[in-house]
Amino acid sequence: MRFIAVVALLSGIAAGQTPARNWKTIDWKAQEAEILRHYSALVQIDSSNPPGNETAVITYIKKVFDAEGIPSQIFALEPARANLVARIKGNGTKRPILIMAHTDVVGVQREKWPVDPFGAIRKDGYVWGRGSVDDKDKLAANLVLMLLLKRTNAELDRDVIFLAESGEEGTTKPGIEFMANQHFSQIEAEFCLTEGGGATLSGGRVTTVTVSTTEKLPRRIRLVVNGTSGHGSIPRTDNALTHLSAAVAKLGTWETPLRMNDTTRTYFERLAGISPPEAAARYNGITDTKRGAAIQKYLAENEPMHYSMLRTSVVPTILNAGFRMNVIPSEAEATIDVRMAPGEDDKAFFDQMQRLIGDPAVKIQRLTDGDRPPTPPSRLDTDMFRALETVSKRMYPGSVTLPTMLTGATDMAFLRAKGMQSYGIGPAASDTDRTNYGAHSDVERLLESSLYSFARFTWEAVMEVSATK
Ligand SMILES: [Zn+2]
């Protein structure tokens, strides 16, 4: 035993790692260099999607796992877009937990970047680069978690499954769809932790921790109007543009019905609890029949994300018609980004929309590309959600945990559809950083200290539900 321990210690030092032998006493300060090393290496791999080339990321991770003696398996629908699964076994008392992160990033306009987007440049306390907050921070945290599990030989009640998946940024077929539909037994788990949440830093302190438990469903449509083409000097009552614009104007200003769920109710209730009196009164009055209308108007104008969290949203995004100033076009089209609140009935909703438009010339076409399966929200009464609350309180004293509904879509939809209780988490950022230096921006960056605290947060949350007590 002693010989093995000494060898492990020596080999750990040789590879520049921090040997950790007890999962309860991890020296997180000493761990920082290794976290940063893997995180930087991951950001430095250009996995812009398209085309993705996620296999380059997978190759890196595989090498790290191999060196550490962690078995892993590669699953690829397309050779350049592989996924990787690794599993550290528990005693099987509880069902597994899946820690998932995507390996692709959105593309860059290099000339717009103040630094090399794939340089992982450290500057002013931040690490800059494409993927620095979406999603290579979670990928690095999960990678380090696996290394620590292996090194500490922690006793677990459940398997911990690591999934690095390709194609999250708009091409889910080789990634989550392939894994969920063709290899589900490899990733099947009771809980999943992945991107989709965060924490708010204000005055150097974390005040709120957001955990996403549900998301809206993309249900895009196209409005199509056909009319008679003709000369621009002769007005026609069936002008496609006129009919289309009237319909677009109605949809763009439509206040769809209020749709709340467990997550959003808890979110606004808890948000009210930490907001100044005026804002608190608004959040508490959302369902108030008397003040409701004024509150909705306020939110629509001042807090559009909150407005969207309360309903199915209908947002015109593309108009297409006409080619010459003196020709009446025979066809006009508009694309509408519809995001359904969980539980909204598709058919009833589009029937209602058709009645609102009130014009038989306007046809609604469904664009099913990009649809996600309908899913119930992940529950707030699970061990996992409670663990996230416990760890938040422990790591960030005085903070409040807010369950959130994302207005956008994530790969969790495919896992929730299979009954997996899935929670979105993320590193801490100030409101300013999130608004100005966030995901997909050409100044994407992460506060270096947040990277380390997030790695620890992930570890503690996983251990809270997995470690044998
Ligand atoms: Zn992402």
Side-chain angles (χ1 to χ4, degrees):
M1 279 307 287
R2 178 172 298 168
F3 173 74
I4 292 168
V6 168
V7 169
L9 189 68
L10 289 176
S11 63
I13 289 169
Q17 299 153 351
T18 313
R21 274 177 291 163
N22 183 339
W23 73 266
K24 284 181 187 158
T25 55
I26 288 183
D27 181 347
W28 287 98
K29 195 73 208 157
Q31 203 53 56
E32 290 182 359
E34 189 181 27
I35 297 171
L36 182 67
R37 184 158 54 82
H38 290 306
Y39 173 68
S40 303
L42 292 167
V43 171
Q44 284 164 0
I45 302 171
D46 180 352
S47 52
S48 296
N49 180 9
N53 277 329
E54 293 93 335
T55 300
V57 181
I58 294 306
T59 304
Y60 176 85
I61 298 171
K62 178 103 175 64
K63 229 163 100 187
V64 173
F65 282 171
D66 283 351
E68 205 83 21
I70 299 171
S72 61
Q73 220 184 325
I74 291 176
F75 299 88
L77 179 66
E78 296 168 34
R81 315 205 65 180
N83 306 280
L84 179 140
V85 176
R87 179 186 295 251
I88 290 195
K89 298 284 279 177
N91 61 27
T93 318
K94 296 173 179 166
R95 292 165 59 214
I97 179 171
L98 173 70
I99 51 173
M100 174 172 96
H102 64 86
T103 50
D104 60 328
V105 296
V106 291
V108 296
Q109 289 177 283
R110 265 180 195 269
E111 67 283 6
K112 298 274 164 80
W113 279 74
V115 295
D116 175 1
F118 301 101
I121 305 292
R122 290 165 82 196
K123 198 159 75 90
D124 312 322
Y126 291 85
V127 184
W128 297 64
R130 174 58 86 225
S132 57
V133 298
D134 181 14
D135 190 28
K136 288 175 172 167
D137 49 341
K138 286 83 166 187
L139 193 60
N142 294 350
L143 174 77
V144 169
L145 183 144
M146 295 298 275
L147 302 181
L148 291 177
L149 275 182
K150 176 75 167 123
R151 287 176 203 161
T152 58
N153 203 14
E155 225 186 297
L156 301 170
D157 281 346
R158 59 173 100 231
D159 294 3
V160 176
I161 307 171
F162 170 101
L163 170 60
E165 45 132 7
S166 64
E168 192 273 344
E169 301 290 358
T171 48
T172 50
K173 285 220 161 49
I176 192 66
E177 287 194 66
F178 179 58
M179 294 310 295
N181 299 332
Q182 311 286 319
H183 299 287
F184 189 62
S185 64
Q186 300 289 330
I187 58 166
E188 186 168 8
E190 180 177 12
F191 303 127
C192 169
L193 289 182
T194 188
E195 66 175 340
T200 305
L201 269 171
S202 128
R205 192 175 84 74
V206 168
T207 50
T208 59
V209 176
T210 51
V211 176
S212 64
T213 57
T214 185
E215 60 193 43
K216 299 176 90 176
L217 292 168
R219 290 289 180 266
R220 280 72 173 241
I221 54 165
R222 189 181 288 138
L223 301 183
V224 181
V225 184
N226 290 293
T228 312
S229 62
H231 199 281
S233 66
I234 305 163
R236 300 193 58 98
T237 56
D238 69 346
N239 184 314
L241 266 171
T242 314
H243 285 260
L244 181 76
S245 348
V248 169
K250 277 181 184 166
L251 293 191
T253 52
W254 182 18
E255 187 172 304
T256 56
L258 211 58
R259 293 271 183 268
M260 292 187 83
N261 54 54
D262 242 16
T263 293
T264 51
R265 262 188 294 273
T266 309
Y267 173 85
F268 284 106
E269 204 178 279
R270 290 188 186 178
L271 189 61
I274 53 167
S275 297
E278 214 178 310
R282 267 194 300 271
Y283 300 138
N284 285 325
I286 284 167
T287 54
D288 188 315
T289 40
K290 262 196 229 139
R291 299 174 47 238
I295 292 172
Q296 296 308 322
K297 184 168 183 295
Y298 179 91
L299 295 179
E301 284 166 3
N302 300 286
E303 298 176 17
M305 199 194 66
H306 283 155
Y307 180 82
S308 182
M309 281 172 71
L310 290 165
R311 54 182 34 82
T312 292
S313 52
V314 179
V315 179
T317 51
I318 303 174
L319 281 176
N320 233 325
F323 62 101
R324 265 189 78 96
M325 70 165 85
N326 57 358
V327 174
I328 300 174
S330 60
E331 189 167 270
E333 287 180 0
T335 305
I336 315 284
D337 192 352
V338 177
R339 303 292 181 123
M340 285 210 172
E344 184 91 64
D345 179 329
D346 281 37
K347 188 179 178 309
F349 185 82
F350 287 117
D351 285 351
Q352 193 181 357
M353 181 186 277
Q354 189 75 70
R355 282 195 299 278
L356 176 86
I357 293 171
D359 181 350
V362 180
K363 304 276 183 274
I364 298 175
Q365 281 177 2
R366 296 281 299 277
L367 304 171
T368 50
D369 200 34
D371 271 13
R372 310 255 166 156
T375 58
S378 293
R379 298 200 315 267
L380 306 184
D381 63 353
T382 59
D383 286 346
M384 189 72 253
F385 189 77
R386 273 191 292 269
L388 290 166
E389 287 180 306
T390 305
V391 172
S392 300
K393 282 210 183 72
R394 194 160 66 212
M395 277 189 67
Y396 311 119
S399 69
V400 174
T401 306
L402 298 175
T404 348
M405 177 170 76
L406 297 177
T407 52
T410 74
D411 283 353
M412 278 187 281
F414 295 97
L415 302 175
R416 290 202 182 104
K418 301 230 173 221
M420 225 186 270
Q421 298 294 310
S422 305
Y423 302 94
I425 56 175
S430 68
D431 275 334
T432 322
D433 278 355
R434 194 166 302 121
T435 312
N436 300 328
Y437 299 90
H440 298 202
S441 78
D442 45 27
V443 283
E444 186 177 345
R445 66 183 196 184
L446 174 63
L447 201 59
E448 192 177 319
S449 56
S450 288
L451 171 68
Y452 305 135
S453 54
F454 179 67
R456 180 174 186 172
F457 180 89
T458 305
W459 167 264
E460 296 208 3
V462 170
M463 292 315 266
E464 190 75 19
V465 295
S466 310
T468 306
K469 298 261 155 73

